[in-house]
Amino acid sequence: MNVENNKQPSGSLKISQDVLATISNFAAEEIDGVVSLADTYAPIKNFLKKGSIGKPIQISLNDDVAVIDISVNLKYGANIPAVAETLQKAVKDAVQNMTGITVSKVNVHVAGIVFPETAPVQQ
């Protein structure tokens, strides 16, 4: 008796944009020079609405291809182009490897620079 093992999916898989944002967040936190994620302002059409501050990671998903916008605060003295490039690669690789979703772009928005805290002067 010859029985074929058909490996057909028994359902569907949907990954929420929040999961993609979480993966992106963890990837960003690992990059030297990134201090934190930064809140962004929502588009002007929503400016007057309550809660016009946007999330630091925005995901656009179209036909299983993602575009990720991430806003960050960088450490003073960091090489901004180098940190941005490293961040783009890390986020893209993490999302693609964990989800199988193609990431076409990772847009990095540098929202601020964080200066080191100076020690209080003792008198």
Side-chain angles (χ1 to χ4, degrees):
M1 178 176 206
N2 187 5
V3 177
E4 290 185 30
N5 186 4
N6 292 334
K7 293 187 178 186
Q8 295 181 355
S10 58
S12 65
L13 170 65
K14 293 191 181 206
I15 300 172
S16 81
Q17 291 181 0
D18 288 340
V19 170
L20 301 180
T22 299
I23 294 167
S24 300
N25 182 12
F26 281 109
E29 288 177 347
E30 299 295 318
I31 304 302
D32 188 36
V34 174
V35 175
S36 64
L37 297 180
D39 289 332
T40 59
Y41 291 98
I44 194 71
K45 67 181 179 181
N46 295 329
F47 186 71
L48 297 176
K49 291 184 179 179
K50 185 177 181 182
S52 63
I53 301 296
K55 294 180 180 179
I57 300 175
Q58 301 290 326
I59 309 288
S60 299
L61 196 56
N62 190 8
D63 295 328
D64 289 333
V65 176
V67 174
I68 301 171
D69 285 89
I70 184 166
S71 296
V72 292
N73 294 313
L74 299 184
K75 178 172 54 176
Y76 176 77
N79 181 321
I80 294 173
V83 172
E85 184 178 336
T86 302
L87 178 58
Q88 288 170 320
K89 182 174 178 1
V91 168
K92 181 177 183 175
D93 290 348
V95 170
Q96 288 185 158
N97 290 338
M98 292 182 73
T99 66
I101 292 173
T102 301
V103 176
S104 65
K105 288 184 194 176
V106 177
N107 299 313
V108 175
H109 305 273
V110 179
I113 300 293
V114 177
F115 292 89
E117 292 184 28
T118 57
V121 178
Q122 295 181 355
Q123 294 179 348

